[in-house]
Amino acid sequence: MAELFAAGITTLDVLVIYSFLQVNKGKLTLALWTSFLNMAFPFLGFVTGELSAHIFTVWSSILSGVMLGLIGIHMLLQSDTPSSSSKQVSPFIIAFAVSIDAFSVSVSFGMLQMDKVLFIVASGAFTFIFSCAALLLKGRLGLKNGKALRLIAGFALIIIGVLSCFR
């Protein structure tokens, strides 16, 4: 069950970023590409995390907790000013950038020995749903900026990180 919660929290950034993205055609392709990347990067992260857990057996819970906490703090401290260069970048590059953070989060989850398949499938499903919702319902979601969702996701990652240290 923690895998579903974690997958939902780690894919909230897709909802925020795609709500502000100007895409006229290829929305389904972009959603599928983002979903694929949000499944591929966590798979690589889980493999890396599981290898790290074997190497750092004693420290794996503490290391994963610290990593998740730092990712959460990073989300809380991100700048609120929108980047003007995002209009010049291809949406498929943005999909890559949005998905790469799933790698670092899943390294921690791999170190915690979470259910890899459940997290990866849930991450892909949530990403597809959030991508489609943001791209198709643009403007009707009521997101003025992504600050509230980013704060929720940041605090959730910090809490998961702290709890995993005491696992």
Side-chain angles (χ1 to χ4, degrees), residues 1-15 109 118-119 122-127 130 149 152-153 156-157 160:
M1 191 65 170
E3 291 86 354
L4 295 176
F5 177 75
I9 291 296
T10 58
T11 55
L12 278 177
D13 58 344
V14 171
L15 182 64
F109 293 154
L118 180 60
F119 178 79
S123 181
F126 282 131
T127 301
F130 290 164
L149 287 176
I152 291 169
L157 286 174
I160 292 171

Side-chain angles (χ1 to χ4, degrees), residues 114-157:
M114 292 177 83
D115 186 358
K116 178 183 354 183
V117 175
L118 180 60
F119 178 79
I120 291 171
V121 170
S123 181
F126 282 131
T127 301
F128 184 74
I129 292 167
F130 290 164
S131 297
C132 288
L135 292 170
L136 297 176
L137 302 175
K138 180 189 295 269
R140 289 178 268 182
L141 291 175
L143 296 174
K144 292 187 172 58
N145 62 28
K147 186 175 183 177
L149 287 176
R150 195 174 59 240
L151 288 173
I152 291 169
F155 281 122
L157 286 174

